[in-house]
Amino acid sequence: METAGKSVPTIPGNTFLYQLKRKLPYIISYGILAVTTLPVIFMYLWLIIQSFASNMKYGLIPEGFSLENWEFLWTNIVYKGAELPSIWTATWNSLFFAGMLTVLEVLIGVMAGYALSRLTFPGREQILKITMILHAFPSIALLIATFYILNFMSLYDSLFGVVLVKTALQIPMTTWIIKGFFDDVSWDLEWAGLIDGCSRIKVWFRIVLPQVKPGIASVSIFSFLSGWSEFLLLYTFIVSNENVTLASFLQRLTSDPNMVNYGVLSAISLFYLIPVLVFFIFTQKSLMKANVGGVKKV
Amino acid sequence: MKVELQNITKSFDKKTNTIDNMNLTIEDGEFVALLGPSGCGKTTTMLMIAGIYKPNEGAIYFDGEKVNDLEPKDREIGMVFQSYALYPHMTVLNNIAFPLKQQKVPKKERLERAKEAAEMVQLGHLLNRKPSELSGGQQQRVALARAIVKRPKLLLLDEPMSNLDASLRIEMRAEISRLQKKLGITTILITHDQEEAMTLADRIALMKDGRIVQFDTPMNLYNEPDNVYVAKFIGTPPMNLVEGKIMYNKLQIDKQTYPMDKSRFHLEHGKEVILGMRPYDIQLGWTEEIRFLGKIELLESIGHSKIIHANVFGKRLQLFAKQDFQAEIGAEVRFSVQPAAIHLFDKKTGKSLRKAAPYGDEMFVKDAALQ
Ligand SMILES: Nc1ncnc2c1ncn2[C@@H]1O[C@H](COP(=O)(O)OP(=O)(O)OP(=O)(O)O)[C@@H](O)[C@H]1O
Ligand SMILES: [Mg+2]
């Protein structure tokens, strides 16, 4: 680009215009992006400021710094006369729910994805089609049936029961995504491993799985996030206080529109957000990184 | 290790046989090339020997032992894949050391041997790269090093030099040949390049549509092709082929008759035949017994000599001339060939009419007729 700039030094009057013209597309696109993301950024800013302010004038202008809203971290909140469970119980439950969901989903998804990608067995095509249809059911349509099943299995009001339900709902999509990653691993690679002295299982662990790492990473991230933000199923099937998760915790705080303390609500929302941010910072690298090459397409 | 294929049949779709009743015996320490056009089943054959594909019928023996159900990992083979199939997540060094790791060779020895193998293919300076950071030729050499590092009993090479430049290819060829002789590894090489097959292999199996057409030494394949297909495939430029008819011990082409050697060929009056002459066997001028008069259609210079494309009987024949040969396009040219240097094939079956030629099935009927 610099050489392009140097190649027209004879018309100095033009250089500014030239630079502008060159940068114009960037200026325009960044401008549009900035304007459209502004409301989102503003919302987050408002959330942060509000949680640390002792009062908000007209709901917009912060007045005074206070940690009052963050007291929920060390004391249990009393809301409408009743004491809510500790935030740490809810956090732990959310972590357990999201983590368990991730582990189950990835485990099942990876194995099923490999089977659907590589093995020929009767009914393979049908399974592929049916799983897609299964995914089309919104979980809300299945609530009643799910309730009966959970109740029957004595898993009502159990986090693990809801994990199972959520996993079942998510598995089709996960499997499809991972199958796609396995499809891209060439057979030759697997065969080379077999010839170099591995058993089929060893080839799978040592050679095939490393190739689908980005797939596993992205599926883990998405399932963790969807577990972390799950609300409907947990709200419906979890009743007891010790099993409450963060999303339901927030819901309880807002159950009566007249008594909502927006300061506390913002603080808890932020608290709810932090693990997601941390998780994303640590995992986004593996999302981007993929090992390619070494196999010629023939 | 001696490798035997007995009546091997492989079908992918249950309708057509990709490999059709193949028989092949490779002696211990022998270097065999599988040569044939694209899609004729070379890779499939190799993968069956490697144990990746199971044959639908027939048996494979290693040193007299049936190995149909032996796992690939237990076959003690090394293979270079057509696609290289390097492990993308490992460095060059780890790629090469991988087979040794599976054999539980101690780490120090493993890395030493891997480095040694890398040096052999001139990759010593790239040990810490990932495969994606290598050129095609370099990747191919990594694959070669990985295949030989564990000193397998059987080396399978699926076009191991297709991506190398000419000089590197000749070097690698010499290296493979040296290694193979030194370690006495039974080796099967797949190639499209007949020169490569001719120079490296003890014997060449020429394949077509899932069958072996002729399995013989390079010289025999060249000098005594069993049928038209082999004659056309082996040798560059390819053998000149002209259709004719046997008339009482003589060959008639377009009203011209030529004397034929009855002691060499089965001559049957009235039989339609194909006359084959290698371009190198044709002499300029009427110095030999079988003489032709043609018109020059094209004169190609290939450096050390020239190729004359001459039109005789409406067919274009190729022959060599000295580097300084000069002629007008359209000029007449006289050339001739010794009776001992010609080949005769049955036009209907494509089989050689040579007396010593093996008589057998008529599997090439449909290909026998020229184009
Ligand atoms: N896994 C497979 N499923 C179905 N058909 C196959 C499979 N592998 C090979 N074939 C078919 O078998 C035939 C032989 O294939 P093969 O790969 O052995 O050819 P080749 O001789 O190695 O060719 P090339 O020189 O192009 O590599 C081809 O027609 C191919 O389409
Ligand atoms: Mg092939």
Side-chain angles (χ1 to χ4, degrees):
Chain A
M1 273 296 132
E2 280 199 304
T3 48
K6 275 178 196 154
S7 66
V8 283
T10 44
I11 340 168
N14 260 7
T15 44
F16 174 72
L17 267 182
Y18 172 79
Q19 291 286 337
L20 188 70
K21 209 170 161 189
R22 196 161 59 85
K23 286 186 179 153
L24 204 59
Y26 296 99
I27 294 171
I28 292 175
S29 43
Y30 277 107
I32 292 174
L33 283 175
V35 169
T36 46
T37 46
L38 214 55
V40 182
I41 292 170
F42 180 74
M43 265 157 47
Y44 280 113
L45 269 180
W46 181 80
L47 209 60
I48 294 168
I49 292 167
Q50 159 138 310
S51 77
F52 287 107
S54 47
N55 191 26
M56 292 293 270
K57 218 173 165 185
Y58 318 120
L60 267 181
I61 304 151
E63 284 179 335
F65 174 82
S66 127
L67 284 177
E68 199 181 316
N69 292 330
W70 290 87
E71 264 171 15
F72 67 88
L73 287 177
W74 52 88
T75 49
N76 290 3
I77 295 172
V78 178
Y79 182 71
K80 289 202 287 183
E83 191 173 327
L84 289 180
S86 153
I87 186 85
W88 297 109
T89 311
T91 310
W92 165 248
N93 285 340
S94 275
L95 274 178
F96 171 81
F97 183 79
M100 198 69 190
L101 178 72
T102 308
V103 169
L104 273 184
E105 242 185 73
V106 168
L107 264 183
I108 301 175
V110 163
M111 291 194 274
Y114 182 77
L116 287 172
S117 163
R118 284 297 156 93
L119 312 178
T120 45
F121 50 88
R124 179 175 167 274
E125 294 280 311
Q126 286 82 341
I127 288 179
L128 279 175
K129 276 179 203 146
I130 290 170
T131 48
M132 229 29 203
I133 295 171
L134 273 183
H135 188 72
F137 282 96
S139 45
I140 199 162
L142 300 170
L143 280 183
I144 297 169
T146 314
F147 172 76
Y148 274 108
I149 296 171
L150 282 180
N151 212 10
F152 176 74
M153 293 170 69
S154 339
L155 285 171
Y156 182 68
D157 195 23
S158 136
L159 274 178
F160 186 67
V162 188
V163 167
L164 287 183
V165 174
K166 181 78 179 164
T167 309
L169 289 170
Q170 297 267 67
I171 270 300
M173 203 57 202
T174 313
T175 307
W176 263 90
I177 293 171
I178 294 193
K179 175 191 171 288
F181 279 89
F182 278 121
D183 285 345
D184 285 343
V185 179
S186 95
W187 272 110
D188 284 3
L189 214 54
E190 241 173 287
W191 292 340
L194 291 178
I195 287 171
D196 285 344
C198 298
S199 61
R200 189 93 201 249
I201 285 283
K202 208 167 183 188
V203 163
W204 192 68
F205 275 111
R206 287 284 179 77
I207 291 165
V208 182
L209 272 192
Q211 311 312 317
V212 298
K213 251 193 198 156
I216 294 176
S218 55
V219 166
S220 318
I221 292 165
F222 290 128
S223 58
F224 185 87
L225 293 185
S226 91
W228 187 255
S229 57
E230 174 60 36
F231 172 68
L232 183 67
L233 292 173
L234 289 164
Y235 177 64
T236 318
F237 299 126
I238 299 292
V239 283
S240 57
N241 265 348
E242 71 262 28
N243 283 343
V244 77
T245 54
L246 279 176
S248 312
F249 193 91
L250 275 173
Q251 189 275 334
R252 290 189 189 191
L253 280 180
T254 52
S255 58
D256 186 345
N258 294 323
M259 293 186 64
V260 180
N261 179 340
Y262 283 101
V264 176
L265 196 62
S266 324
I268 297 183
S269 303
L270 277 177
F271 179 77
Y272 186 35
L273 202 76
I274 291 165
V276 178
L277 287 179
V278 172
F279 186 71
F280 187 75
I281 288 166
F282 279 108
T283 50
Q284 59 125 2
K285 247 198 187 140
S286 40
L287 259 186
M288 309 296 168
K289 202 165 71 186
N291 276 310
V292 285
V295 181
K296 184 176 71 167
K297 296 268 182 277
V298 272
Chain B
M1 186 156 70
K2 182 175 174 181
V3 179
E4 275 174 282
L5 307 191
Q6 276 181 13
N7 306 338
I8 293 291
T9 298
K10 177 72 188 172
S11 169
F12 287 108
D13 56 6
K14 299 195 175 78
K15 278 178 252 142
T16 53
N17 285 342
T18 303
I19 301 297
D20 198 7
N21 198 25
M22 179 184 282
N23 287 289
L24 182 68
T25 303
I26 298 164
E27 299 299 336
D28 184 30
E30 196 176 15
F31 197 133
V32 167
L34 288 183
L35 189 62
S38 191
C40 69
K42 304 183 294 293
T43 302
T44 307
T45 307
M46 190 167 267
L47 288 175
M48 280 195 286
I49 296 173
I52 301 291
Y53 290 153
K54 294 244 177 301
N56 296 94
E57 280 165 43
I60 299 174
Y61 298 90
F62 284 180
D63 279 337
E65 231 166 283
K66 191 167 168 185
V67 293
N68 282 36
D69 295 319
L70 195 64
E71 294 284 321
K73 71 183 169 72
D74 301 323
R75 293 193 180 202
E76 298 185 68
I77 47 184
M79 179 160 174
V80 172
F81 281 83
Q82 199 166 2
S83 66
Y84 323 143
L86 301 180
Y87 310 126
H89 56 299
M90 299 183 198
T91 60
V92 166
L93 187 63
N94 285 338
N95 258 285
I96 300 175
F98 188 77
L100 298 176
K101 195 172 175 185
Q102 302 316 309
Q103 290 181 333
K104 308 233 161 30
V105 175
K107 188 162 184 185
K108 193 155 165 275
E109 185 193 341
R110 191 203 305 162
L111 294 183
E112 255 164 39
R113 277 170 68 183
K115 277 179 196 157
E116 208 176 292
E119 288 300 338
M120 203 141 56
V121 293
Q122 302 172 19
L123 282 175
H125 57 298
L126 299 174
L127 293 175
N128 293 319
R129 297 243 188 121
K130 288 275 181 72
S132 56
E133 298 158 354
L134 300 180
S135 76
Q138 289 166 339
Q139 293 184 18
Q140 206 156 28
R141 283 181 282 153
V142 177
L144 198 57
R146 188 179 64 183
I148 55 181
V149 72
K150 66 174 172 186
R151 310 213 181 101
K153 286 193 174 163
L154 175 64
L155 189 56
L156 304 174
L157 307 172
D158 195 345
E159 302 191 25
M161 290 172 273
S162 60
N163 248 22
L164 306 184
D165 62 57
S167 70
L168 198 56
R169 186 180 302 208
I170 288 169
E171 242 170 278
M172 281 297 123
R173 233 186 244 171
E175 193 57 50
I176 289 179
S177 181
R178 191 185 64 81
L179 203 78
Q180 194 267 339
K181 292 278 173 326
K182 193 178 116 200
L183 303 177
I185 309 175
T186 312
T187 304
I188 304 176
L189 166 83
I190 292 182
T191 177
H192 277 134
D193 181 350
Q194 48 164 300
E195 188 189 311
E196 195 169 291
M198 297 285 233
T199 49
L200 278 174
D202 299 320
R203 282 194 290 173
I204 297 173
L206 184 60
M207 289 184 62
K208 178 183 197 315
D209 298 339
R211 283 160 169 265
I212 291 178
V213 186
Q214 190 172 353
F215 182 37
D216 219 329
T217 62
M219 273 305 102
N220 283 351
L221 228 48
Y222 184 84
N223 292 328
E224 296 170 359
D226 284 345
N227 60 53
V228 180
Y229 177 74
V230 179
K232 269 201 289 191
F233 203 92
I234 303 285
T236 40
M239 188 185 274
N240 295 303
L241 298 167
V242 188
E243 291 176 27
K245 200 172 180 179
I246 300 294
M247 299 297 279
Y248 309 106
N249 291 342
K250 290 199 169 173
L251 173 66
Q252 179 179 353
I253 306 174
D254 226 31
K255 298 192 187 78
Q256 297 276 345
T257 57
Y258 302 94
M260 286 291 118
D261 190 349
K262 212 178 157 191
S263 64
R264 276 189 72 212
F265 298 111
H266 298 280
L267 298 176
E268 197 180 307
H269 173 65
K271 195 173 196 103
E272 303 215 300
V273 297
I274 296 168
L275 167 69
M277 298 167 286
R278 296 236 177 249
Y280 279 106
D281 291 332
I282 300 178
Q283 313 293 328
L284 265 184
W286 281 353
T287 53
E288 307 296 341
E289 218 170 313
I290 301 172
R291 297 170 178 177
F292 301 92
L293 182 64
K295 257 202 185 100
I296 295 181
E297 280 191 340
L298 184 65
L299 206 54
E300 277 179 316
S301 180
I302 53 165
H304 56 85
S305 54
K306 279 184 174 155
I307 299 179
I308 303 173
H309 295 249
N311 188 327
V312 195
F313 326 110
K315 282 233 83 164
R316 186 183 268 199
L317 306 188
Q318 295 180 36
L319 59 139
F320 284 95
K322 288 230 172 63
Q323 197 180 12
D324 53 7
F325 179 83
Q326 294 286 350
E328 297 278 309
I329 301 295
E332 282 196 339
V333 60
R334 290 174 173 191
F335 53 94
S336 58
V337 60
Q338 278 184 357
I342 63 159
H343 305 260
L344 269 189
F345 305 96
D346 188 331
K347 186 182 163 191
K348 224 163 72 206
T349 64
K351 289 256 143 204
S352 173
L353 293 173
R354 187 157 40 86
K355 277 202 164 140
Y359 243 71
D361 52 13
E362 308 207 336
M363 50 193 245
F364 298 104
V365 174
K366 71 178 195 300
D367 314 296
L370 290 172
Q371 276 84 46

